[in-house]
Amino acid sequence: MLSRFCISGSDLGKKFSRERQRKKKSFKEMEAIVSSVLGKLAEYTVEPVLRQFGYLIHYESNVARLNNQVERLNAQRRDVAEKIEAATRNSETILHEVEIWLDQVDRTLRDKDTCFENERTAKAECCSNGWFPNLKIRHSLSRKAKKMAPDVDGLLDKKFEAVACAARHEGASSSQASNIMNFESRKSTIEGVMEALKGNQVNLIVICGMGGIGKTTMVKEVVIRAKKEGLVDEHAKVVVNDKPDISKIQSDIAESLGLKLEEQVLESRADKLFNRLSAKRVLVVLDNVWETLDLREIGIPSGRNSCKILVTSRNQDIFNDMEENRKKFSIGVLPESDAWSLFKKMAGDDIESDPELRSIAEQVLEKCDGLPVAISTLGSALRRKTKAVWNDALRLLQKPFGGDIQGMKKNVYQSIRLSYDFLEREEAKSCFLLCCIFRESTIICVEDLVTHGLGLGVFHRIDSVEGGRDRVEALVDTLKSCYLLLDSDKEECVRMHDVVRAVGLHIASAESEGTFLIRHGVASENWTRGFICTSLTANKSTHELLLLSCTDDEKRSDVDTLGTLYGVEDLKVLDISVPYKGLYTWITFAIMSRTRLESLPVLMRNIQTLCLRGLELRLETISMIGDLRTLTILRLGGSSIQHVPEEFKNLCNLKLLSLADCSELQEISPGVVSSLTKLEELYLWGSFEDWNDVRIIQLSSELLQLPLLTSLETTLSVDILQNSRHLFAKLKRFRLCILKNKRRVPKFLRSIPLYKLPANPRDNLLRLEDLGADCSLLEVSVLLKTTHFLHLGNETLAHPFNVVDAECGGNLKGLTVTDCDALEYLVDLTRAETTPVVFPVLASLKIYGAQRLKEIFHGLLPVGSLKSLRRLIIHRAEELRHVWKTESQFDRLESLTLTDCQSLQVIVAWQESGHHHEEEAKEINFPNLTQLELAELPSLVGICSKKVCKLNFSKLLDLQLRTLPRFSGQWLNGLAPTSNSNDVDVQHLFDPKVDFPLLRLLYLEHMHNFEEIWHNQLSPYSFCELRELKVESCDKISHLVPTYMQNRLQKLEKIHVSKCSSLQEIFELRRSRVNEDEGSRETPSNIYQPDQGILQINNQIMDFKIFQYLKNLSVYRCESLRKVCSSSIARSLVNLEKLEISECNRLEEIVAVEEGEEEEDNNMFPHLRLLTLQCLPNLVSFSREKCALDWPSMEDITIKDCPEMKKFCSGLLTTSMKMKIKISGEVDENIHRELDMSKRKA
């Protein structure tokens, strides 16, 4: 009994114990539930309250952090804007992602300025009672600063390798190029130069020949072809001349490449330029070199494959010390057949139809000695002339020539001189001689010809500046038709061949009969040190024109003053110009410091034109200008003028006043502008940085009192619009920014940056910014009729026909819409009784911010609309669902960018028709599209809304796809799956029905829906021209370049892959992948066999190395990657120069030797220059197998935080003695020793 009791007691104890555990568990569960509930209550009650108090507590730190971020963002924006200016001057196209970033920055900074208008109130620290801080304002500002900070951080993190790309060229830039370069005698030379550019053995290419032989023309053709064929990424052209200016050469190269050279020491500038030219494939053109240059002194790399140098020279022996890297091409005069063909094109085909005229023409041609410049000028001068004129020309050519021009044949001089003599108008001859006053090979601005010509009075019966401009344009056309002047790369500028200029100077100096006497480079007094002095004398007595142009920036930096000018009292034109950097100027490089002008001559009784540009002007000097009562043209652009004094009221004859880019200008004395009653043209662009609304209103009201004003460039207040119709009706040329409240516009937006200005100064620009809902736009309708570029920024704009009606839009070439969030339709054709042609000449349409935009064009577009549209950008249009309805609307489009449009579903939404089968069979073409960017489009499902059989991008070069979560790879929405049943479950981005035969750049980011980029049955030539592949944050992709794509991607030069968490291989090795459920996949016939080292295409086998053009390979944060490539692939990368691997946590080795491959191999990456290995915690070795690595070109090896790396490689390592080793973080000390020993073995 006792035992039974004891047992029962034991059971009871266990029972109580279990009960206690159960209660304890229930209590814990209850505690967890209560904690969860209390946690949620705290989350929804306490935490929000604490967060609100946190805004008050951390007010100062939140606002200070945001202000610091904004300051950095402003600085970053300025840097990008400067690069954009340089790219624009080089006629390059700004990248769309850069423009979108700028738009986001502008909007963010504008929002910050708007939100923080009350910050000064908060800083006052007190409420109205004077005792307590204004908590409400502090809380609001701190909260806004906290929420805005991440957006600013995101903008700061964006870095651009480049801001622009080369503009697409259609052909040679001048007709002369196409006339000459098609000849067989020139084709062979061009082909030789092109082959030299393609190879790696030649760095320096020299084209030699006498002046006027066509060297520069040939270089133009070579540059166009090199860029078209993808041989170079960038090019820079510099004219050197007989007196090379190293500083200017450096500046010109840097400007072409968008590089900022702030250093004053030549060596420092050269080092910076050297590094820039070493980074990419750059073609440097040195035109008209007279003697061998020290390339390293300039900063031009020699002996590097990444930089090619193309030189033109008259000297056959130039750069003889570089024979190993140099290839020389000599071009001579045209053979008889080619010379006759060119002469016939210039003079006209009728010279062959008349046997007698042909005989005379052949004798005339003989006197040109086969020189293209002489043939072109003389042939065009004799075009459509009578037989008597031809006979007279022959007699003149046969006369003996008594003069002598060094290095020029007699017949060449006489041919060009005859072209000059045949100019029918004396004004044309004067204009030609006027062009000769400018330095050799310099760019001649047509506007300078206008102002100087008007000042000298060379144009007859001209009484207005606009009339003089029209006359000069006609004369320049005449001179260009005779090839006495040539086109320039810059708008509204021309140039003169140095041979033609030499003849012109000889005419003006040695043979002048009283018209002009030009003395160029004459000896001058001390006040012109650092300048070239050119004088023009009438009647061989008094100076009428004095042109001082700077020579050398380095020398001029030592010149503090030009002193006082003497002996020039009878001048009609005085031009002292120093290059300066402004928003509106064509000047080519920035100066280190301004040159100061002390004073002006007191007695300049005949002065008509005064140009003092880029100078530091003393207040006394500026006041003295007011005493020059005869002055008709005054140009002070880029000068340091701060105040326009009352003395300017004395300039009663002034017709043109330019104060453009005078950023220090603070005030124009009241009444000065209104007193200039004869003023026809006023230029104030870029001179309003710190002006307040009161001064703008004052200036605007004074402008209304100028009866003759026809050209105006300035910022105006909206307050004058009601009275401005008469003023606007007279304007023929204008660049106007009209705004309601300048204080609401951030400082950097108050003047439109250079890259947003029209390239042609004759194009009219109108910017309407924040005019307000109460403002009627009828007052500017007269301007809209002649506007070429229109920028609209108005949140209340809802009815576009108030702004852009049928008549107003007829001349628009560019239309930009910014932050017009009330706009539903840009053009509503349903509201018009008659349907007009819409934007017939519009080339560019950009929409940045239109949240209510439903359609761009509502209604049926009539025939002839948008026939010139080349570029379309739409950013942040929240309600837009499609872009076009018919194919004809985009057949000429070259660039399309669609970003951040939340509702956009398709690009082309076909209008319904009754022919369903026809729609299914349709083939869609984008025949001229070269650039396509689709980004941040969460609703996009495809390109088209109907089934079509094929989608062709026959000219597409650049494709960027970013964050398209619903894009399924069905480019043609509704397209049936491919016939390959084994691939049904594999998501491919590119379908066989889409063709990209010329694509050069492919950029993918956040494309999470796709396991593979390419289908294995693409059309034959798709992606065969791909040069750059960039893939970021594509989580499902496991193989970047599968085996079936390795044949196609032979021209790849750059691969960048980052943040692809599933990536297992960059270059897939297996012939096909095996799926356990489906069996082996079908293997296409054109698969590269890496273990055999052969290429099989269409069942034909040939020896070939894959990826032999790949130069850059970078991999970042790919968590599943264990190796970069196999040794067979490594042997194929014979031109790889840069290899960067970072933050790949599972990576064990860079090169993995596959089973059966040779271990000893010294041919892996033979041209590698830069190697970076960073933050690779599992990296054991570069290669664990015994591979020999021979890297004679290695310059820099960087290894950081690779703790498991005990030995760099198992085989023999040989590197360059000049190699730099940079090791930091967790790296075994033996690595540095191993790398250092490799240099001694070299």
Side-chain angles (χ1 to χ4, degrees):
M1 292 290 292
L2 183 62
S3 63
R4 289 177 61 191
F5 176 78
C6 291
I7 293 172
S8 298
S10 175
D11 291 341
L12 186 62
K14 290 180 179 179
K15 183 176 180 181
F16 283 140
S17 177
R18 285 196 299 268
E19 184 67 22
R20 283 196 305 270
Q21 290 177 358
R22 186 184 64 79
K23 289 182 178 180
K24 188 176 181 180
K25 182 178 180 181
S26 298
F27 179 78
K28 287 184 177 180
E29 290 177 351
M30 181 67 70
E31 185 181 20
I33 293 172
V34 172
S35 298
S36 176
V37 171
L38 292 177
K40 287 294 181 182
L41 286 173
E43 181 181 347
Y44 291 107
T45 58
V46 178
E47 287 186 10
V49 173
L50 293 177
R51 185 165 56 247
Q52 301 306 317
F53 275 108
Y55 291 139
L56 285 173
I57 295 170
H58 300 291
Y59 159 72
E60 291 186 356
S61 61
N62 287 343
V63 173
R65 180 174 182 269
L66 180 63
N67 286 334
N68 180 58
Q69 288 174 301
V70 168
E71 186 177 348
R72 289 170 54 206
L73 187 60
N74 264 315
Q76 187 169 327
R77 189 197 185 283
R78 285 193 296 271
D79 292 341
V80 172
E82 288 179 356
K83 293 178 181 179
I84 287 173
E85 290 178 24
T88 305
R89 287 192 294 269
N90 200 32
S91 301
E92 295 181 346
T93 302
I94 307 305
L95 296 177
H96 305 297
E97 63 174 338
V98 177
E99 290 191 325
I100 290 172
W101 181 84
L102 284 171
D103 175 68
Q104 292 173 338
V105 170
D106 293 348
R107 190 168 65 253
T108 300
L109 295 178
R110 184 166 61 246
D111 291 344
K112 192 265 181 184
D113 285 350
T114 302
C115 293
F116 283 73
E117 283 181 355
N118 293 324
E119 186 178 356
R120 59 182 180 273
T121 306
K123 285 182 178 179
E125 298 288 341
C126 296
C127 293
S128 57
N129 59 19
W131 291 97
F132 297 105
N134 194 326
L135 299 181
K136 181 179 179 181
I137 293 180
R138 278 173 163 251
H139 173 271
S140 176
L141 291 176
S142 181
R143 183 172 180 270
K144 289 174 182 177
K146 184 74 173 178
K147 292 182 178 296
M148 195 175 290
D151 295 335
V152 180
D153 281 336
L155 293 171
L156 285 169
D157 289 340
K158 189 67 176 178
K159 306 298 181 185
F160 300 106
E161 293 183 4
V163 299
C165 60
R168 192 163 62 92
H169 294 277
E170 298 297 336
S173 59
S174 69
S175 57
Q176 189 180 14
S178 58
N179 288 335
I180 298 175
M181 294 306 142
N182 289 329
F183 297 140
E184 290 299 326
S185 60
R186 295 296 190 257
K187 280 184 179 179
S188 59
T189 304
I190 289 180
E191 292 303 323
V193 173
M194 295 303 297
E195 286 300 316
L197 285 175
K198 294 176 183 177
N200 294 326
Q201 303 302 318
V202 175
N203 170 247
L204 179 66
I205 303 169
V206 181
I207 301 177
C208 299
M210 64 183 296
I213 206 71
K215 302 183 296 294
T216 302
T217 304
M218 180 174 289
V219 164
K220 282 187 177 182
E221 181 72 14
V222 168
V223 170
I224 291 171
R225 284 190 54 180
K227 300 190 82 170
K228 185 177 181 181
E229 296 178 17
L231 299 179
V232 296
D233 299 319
E234 300 172 287
H235 86 281
K237 181 183 176 183
V238 181
V239 180
V240 179
N241 293 327
D242 57 336
K243 297 179 181 178
D245 178 351
I246 302 300
S247 178
K248 186 177 185 302
I249 293 173
Q250 291 173 332
S251 297
D252 288 348
I253 295 176
E255 179 191 319
S256 297
L257 302 176
L259 178 66
K260 192 175 181 180
L261 282 183
E262 296 179 332
E263 296 79 2
Q264 298 192 30
V265 179
L266 285 179
E267 290 78 6
S268 301
R269 292 160 62 89
D271 289 341
K272 190 171 183 179
L273 196 59
F274 185 92
N275 293 331
R276 176 66 174 83
L277 292 173
S278 301
K280 289 188 175 183
R281 299 179 309 166
V282 183
L283 175 61
V284 179
V285 178
L286 303 176
D287 194 19
N288 198 20
V289 179
W290 288 62
E291 58 188 25
T292 298
L293 299 172
D294 186 343
L295 298 179
R296 188 60 184 88
E297 182 186 8
I298 298 172
I300 301 176
S302 57
R304 294 182 178 272
N305 296 333
S306 58
C307 179
K308 299 284 187 177
I309 309 163
L310 185 57
V311 175
T312 69
S313 178
R314 303 179 188 184
N315 185 355
Q316 297 280 344
D317 300 323
I318 202 167
F319 291 108
N320 279 340
D321 57 337
M322 295 179 60
E323 284 197 34
E324 292 184 2
N325 297 326
R326 184 195 69 167
K327 191 168 182 65
K328 184 175 68 174
F329 296 89
S330 297
I331 56 176
V333 297
L334 291 174
E336 186 176 339
S337 58
D338 290 348
W340 176 255
S341 297
L342 177 60
F343 194 59
K344 186 174 66 173
K345 287 182 179 180
M346 296 294 102
D349 293 338
D350 54 341
I351 62 174
E352 279 192 324
S353 58
D354 186 340
E356 185 178 354
L357 183 57
R358 173 167 184 151
S359 175
I360 301 171
E362 288 174 345
Q363 295 179 68
V364 170
L365 176 61
E366 185 180 347
K367 298 296 182 181
C368 295
D369 288 336
L371 202 63
V373 65
I375 296 172
S376 299
T377 53
L378 186 56
S380 57
L382 291 170
R383 190 176 183 87
R384 298 191 183 91
K385 293 295 190 289
T386 63
K387 196 178 300 182
V389 175
W390 279 86
N391 279 319
D392 186 48
L394 181 58
R395 276 192 294 271
L396 290 173
L397 291 171
Q398 291 172 341
K399 283 186 176 181
F401 172 56
D404 179 40
I405 300 179
Q406 185 177 3
M408 185 180 298
K409 292 183 178 181
K410 177 193 72 171
N411 288 344
V412 172
Y413 172 85
Q414 289 184 312
S415 299
I416 298 173
R417 171 61 195 260
L418 196 59
S419 300
Y420 167 82
D421 289 336
F422 276 8
L423 293 172
E424 297 178 356
R425 300 173 62 177
E426 288 299 321
E427 288 181 338
K429 295 181 178 180
S430 297
C431 186
F432 170 74
L433 296 178
L434 190 58
C435 292
C436 297
I437 70 172
F438 298 95
R439 294 176 62 190
E440 181 179 332
S441 301
T442 193
I443 293 174
I444 304 169
C445 184
V446 173
E447 192 67 13
D448 287 341
L449 298 178
V450 174
T451 56
H452 295 5
L454 287 172
L456 293 171
V458 298
F459 310 128
H460 305 306
R461 297 190 299 276
I462 293 294
D463 54 6
S464 68
V465 178
E466 184 65 23
R469 191 173 288 111
D470 291 338
R471 181 68 58 84
V472 168
E473 185 174 325
L475 296 175
V476 166
D477 284 343
T478 299
L479 296 174
K480 287 198 293 187
S481 68
C482 300
Y483 289 92
L484 294 173
L485 286 180
L486 302 172
D487 286 321
S488 168
D489 294 333
K490 297 184 182 294
E491 291 282 352
E492 294 294 299
C493 294
V494 294
R495 60 187 180 88
M496 179 178 282
H497 196 286
D498 51 357
V499 173
V500 175
R501 180 177 176 274
V503 173
L505 286 175
H506 191 273
I507 294 171
S509 58
E511 301 182 22
S512 175
E513 296 179 358
T515 306
F516 281 171
L517 174 61
I518 297 176
R519 301 180 186 275
H520 185 77
V522 296
S524 53
E525 303 296 334
N526 288 334
W527 48 260
T528 61
R529 283 187 301 113
F531 286 77
I532 286 290
C533 178
T534 302
S535 67
L536 186 148
T537 302
N539 300 319
K540 298 185 179 180
S541 55
T542 58
H543 294 298
E544 290 200 351
L545 179 148
L546 186 62
L547 174 66
L548 299 180
S549 55
C550 70
T551 56
D552 183 312
D553 191 59
E554 185 180 28
K555 294 177 183 177
R556 184 167 35 78
S557 64
D558 297 329
V559 181
D560 292 326
T561 177
L562 289 175
T564 304
L565 305 180
Y566 295 104
V568 290
E569 291 80 4
D570 293 325
L571 279 179
K572 291 183 179 179
V573 178
L574 175 60
D575 186 347
I576 307 175
S577 295
V578 172
Y580 65 94
K581 191 173 186 178
L583 293 174
Y584 179 60
T585 175
W586 56 271
I587 301 295
T588 55
F589 63 95
I591 61 172
M592 304 301 173
S593 58
R594 280 196 177 96
T595 301
R596 186 168 67 251
L597 180 64
E598 289 289 344
S599 62
L600 289 170
V602 179
L603 299 175
M604 286 198 296
R605 52 183 176 270
N606 296 321
I607 190 71
Q608 300 289 315
T609 297
L610 178 62
C611 304
L612 306 174
R613 292 172 287 183
L615 299 174
E616 180 182 341
L617 301 176
R618 297 176 58 195
L619 181 60
E620 294 82 358
T621 305
I622 297 171
S623 298
M624 291 176 65
I625 295 175
D627 296 328
L628 305 177
R629 298 176 182 270
T630 59
L631 204 60
T632 59
I633 294 172
L634 177 60
R635 302 171 71 185
L636 303 176
S639 294
S640 63
I641 181 171
Q642 297 180 357
H643 175 74
V644 177
E646 288 194 2
E647 284 83 354
F648 273 44
K649 293 180 180 180
N650 298 328
L651 302 177
C652 55
N653 292 305
L654 199 64
K655 296 182 178 181
L656 185 152
L657 173 61
S658 175
L659 297 169
D661 295 317
C662 294
S663 57
E664 299 177 28
L665 183 62
Q666 298 294 323
E667 183 182 12
I668 299 178
S669 295
V672 168
V673 173
S674 58
S675 67
L676 306 176
T677 56
K678 293 186 179 181
L679 197 66
E680 300 173 9
E681 302 188 359
L682 177 62
Y683 302 100
L684 294 168
W685 203 265
S687 301
F688 285 93
E689 288 297 323
D690 298 311
W691 281 42
N692 57 33
D693 296 329
V694 175
R695 291 177 180 173
I696 292 178
I697 292 172
Q698 173 197 317
L699 173 64
S700 301
S701 61
E702 290 195 38
L703 290 173
L704 299 176
Q705 303 177 46
L706 300 179
L708 303 178
L709 197 65
T710 60
S711 296
L712 179 62
E713 297 185 1
T714 187
T715 299
L716 297 175
S717 170
V718 71
D719 296 333
I720 71 160
L721 284 184
Q722 294 181 353
N723 302 317
S724 61
R725 192 172 184 85
H726 180 66
L727 168 66
F728 293 158
K730 297 179 298 182
L731 294 180
K732 298 179 181 178
R733 290 160 56 103
F734 56 85
R735 293 186 178 183
L736 299 175
C737 180
I738 303 176
L739 45 81
K740 183 178 182 180
N741 188 341
K742 191 165 186 274
R743 286 175 295 181
R744 292 193 59 187
V745 183
K747 185 174 181 179
F748 54 81
L749 283 177
R750 295 175 188 173
S751 294
I752 299 177
L754 175 66
Y755 78 97
K756 290 186 178 180
L757 283 174
N760 191 335
R762 282 185 172 267
D763 285 334
N764 293 330
L765 179 142
L766 178 61
R767 179 167 185 160
L768 306 175
E769 193 75 44
D770 190 31
L771 301 186
D774 55 340
C775 177
S776 171
L777 296 175
L778 294 176
E779 289 81 3
V780 297
S781 60
V782 65
L783 288 178
L784 290 169
K785 295 177 182 179
T786 55
T787 296
H788 300 111
F789 290 86
L790 175 63
H791 185 119
L792 295 175
N794 196 336
E795 295 180 356
T796 61
L797 179 65
H799 303 294
F801 267 104
N802 288 350
V803 179
V804 182
D805 59 27
E807 187 177 4
C808 291
N811 292 309
L812 275 182
K813 299 178 182 179
L815 173 60
T816 300
V817 177
T818 303
D819 294 330
C820 292
D821 291 334
L823 194 66
E824 294 186 2
Y825 310 109
L826 182 63
V827 177
D828 189 352
L829 294 163
T830 63
R831 300 173 52 158
E833 296 181 0
T834 59
T835 306
V837 174
V838 177
F839 302 138
V841 297
L842 188 72
S844 174
L845 174 59
K846 303 177 185 179
I847 300 175
Y848 298 106
Q851 295 190 16
R852 294 182 59 189
L853 187 70
K854 297 178 179 178
E855 283 186 296
I856 303 175
F857 306 105
H858 185 48
L860 184 64
L861 281 171
V863 177
S865 298
L866 302 177
K867 63 181 181 181
S868 301
L869 188 63
R870 300 289 189 271
R871 187 181 192 188
L872 174 63
I873 298 176
I874 304 176
H875 173 64
R876 208 167 50 84
E878 304 289 338
E879 297 186 15
L880 188 68
R881 295 181 180 274
H882 66 268
V883 180
W884 290 292
K885 293 181 179 179
T886 63
E887 185 177 2
S888 61
Q889 296 173 10
F890 55 78
D891 56 352
R892 298 195 180 189
L893 196 71
E894 296 177 0
S895 176
L896 173 62
T897 299
L898 304 173
T899 58
D900 198 12
C901 299
Q902 301 298 311
S903 302
L904 190 71
Q905 297 177 353
V906 293
I907 296 176
V908 183
W910 298 107
Q911 292 179 327
E912 294 292 338
S913 67
H915 307 289
H916 182 66
H917 296 290
E918 290 182 8
E919 291 179 4
E920 287 188 350
K922 191 172 183 64
E923 180 173 316
I924 307 298
N925 292 296
F926 288 83
N928 293 296
L929 194 68
T930 61
Q931 190 275 341
L932 174 62
E933 180 180 357
L934 306 174
E936 305 290 339
L937 306 174
S939 302
L940 187 73
V941 295
I943 302 297
C944 307
S945 62
K946 298 294 182 182
K947 287 185 179 181
V948 291
C949 65
K950 188 87 172 175
L951 184 60
N952 291 324
F953 294 92
S954 57
K955 293 184 179 180
L956 194 68
L957 302 175
D958 182 341
L959 175 61
Q960 301 184 41
L961 305 176
R962 306 196 306 275
T963 317
L964 310 177
R966 294 188 61 194
F967 193 76
S968 62
Q970 301 296 319
W971 288 72
L972 315 175
N973 192 31
L975 189 71
T978 60
S979 58
N980 191 344
S981 60
N982 292 327
D983 286 338
V984 171
D985 295 332
V986 179
Q987 286 285 81
H988 302 90
L989 177 56
F990 295 108
D991 193 277
K993 302 291 185 179
V994 187
D995 198 10
F996 299 97
L998 297 180
L999 193 68
R1000 301 287 184 91
L1001 168 65
L1002 176 60
Y1003 177 26
L1004 308 176
E1005 181 181 355
H1006 291 292
M1007 302 295 289
H1008 300 304
N1009 294 340
F1010 304 99
E1011 300 172 33
E1012 294 183 353
I1013 299 175
W1014 298 281
H1015 194 277
N1016 66 354
Q1017 296 291 342
L1018 296 176
S1019 58
Y1021 299 104
S1022 269
F1023 299 101
C1024 289
E1025 296 294 326
L1026 195 65
R1027 300 296 202 277
E1028 183 174 350
L1029 176 61
K1030 188 174 183 180
V1031 182
E1032 296 183 359
S1033 302
C1034 296
D1035 295 336
K1036 292 185 179 181
I1037 292 177
S1038 59
H1039 299 84
L1040 189 67
V1041 184
T1043 53
Y1044 53 81
M1045 286 301 296
Q1046 292 175 6
N1047 293 340
R1048 294 176 183 270
L1049 304 181
Q1050 291 303 311
K1051 296 184 179 181
L1052 263 180
E1053 298 173 0
K1054 184 176 182 179
I1055 293 178
H1056 171 78
V1057 55
S1058 68
K1059 302 178 184 178
C1060 295
S1061 58
S1062 300
L1063 186 70
Q1064 298 177 10
E1065 289 182 301
I1066 296 175
F1067 309 99
E1068 187 187 18
L1069 294 178
R1070 289 161 290 179
R1071 300 184 186 182
S1072 62
R1073 274 165 279 170
V1074 178
N1075 186 300
E1076 293 180 359
D1077 299 326
E1078 297 176 358
S1080 298
R1081 287 174 40 179
E1082 180 181 345
T1083 301
S1085 60
N1086 58 342
I1087 291 183
Y1088 173 72
Q1089 312 292 335
D1091 55 331
Q1092 299 177 20
I1094 60 173
L1095 179 68
Q1096 181 176 333
I1097 301 178
N1098 298 328
N1099 299 320
Q1100 294 183 0
I1101 297 177
M1102 63 190 79
D1103 292 331
F1104 202 76
K1105 289 185 179 295
I1106 60 173
F1107 307 120
Q1108 61 176 329
Y1109 295 109
L1110 190 67
K1111 291 190 174 184
N1112 294 336
L1113 174 59
S1114 62
V1115 185
Y1116 172 68
R1117 201 176 289 181
C1118 294
E1119 304 294 338
S1120 300
L1121 192 67
R1122 294 182 181 273
K1123 64 177 180 295
V1124 175
C1125 65
S1126 71
S1127 57
S1128 58
I1129 294 290
R1131 284 194 298 270
S1132 296
L1133 304 181
V1134 293
N1135 283 305
L1136 190 70
E1137 297 179 357
K1138 187 176 182 180
L1139 178 61
E1140 295 178 299
I1141 314 294
S1142 303
E1143 297 188 33
C1144 298
N1145 291 339
R1146 295 188 183 181
L1147 191 75
E1148 298 176 0
E1149 56 185 333
I1150 307 301
V1151 178
V1153 177
E1154 300 299 314
E1155 185 177 353
E1157 293 183 330
E1158 297 180 5
E1159 293 184 354
E1160 288 290 346
D1161 190 344
N1162 61 355
N1163 196 32
M1164 292 183 185
F1165 316 129
H1167 289 98
L1168 195 63
R1169 295 191 299 109
L1170 303 172
L1171 173 64
T1172 301
L1173 305 174
Q1174 295 188 100
C1175 302
L1176 304 172
N1178 286 303
L1179 182 68
V1180 176
S1181 174
F1182 190 87
S1183 179
R1184 284 185 284 198
E1185 302 298 332
K1186 195 173 182 180
C1187 297
L1189 302 175
D1190 185 10
W1191 294 338
S1193 302
M1194 181 61 72
E1195 299 175 1
D1196 192 316
I1197 291 183
T1198 300
I1199 302 178
K1200 178 182 179 182
D1201 290 329
C1202 299
E1204 297 299 319
M1205 193 178 193
K1206 308 302 181 184
K1207 188 173 179 58
F1208 185 83
C1209 68
S1210 300
L1212 181 66
L1213 175 64
T1214 307
T1215 60
S1216 168
M1217 287 294 293
K1218 298 180 180 180
M1219 180 186 70
K1220 297 178 181 178
I1221 303 172
K1222 301 175 184 176
I1223 293 181
S1224 60
E1226 295 185 57
V1227 181
D1228 194 287
E1229 59 183 11
N1230 291 325
I1231 299 298
H1232 194 291
R1233 188 181 303 112
E1234 182 182 354
L1235 294 176
D1236 197 47
M1237 289 179 63
S1238 72
K1239 295 196 295 183
R1240 287 193 287 271
K1241 294 176 183 178

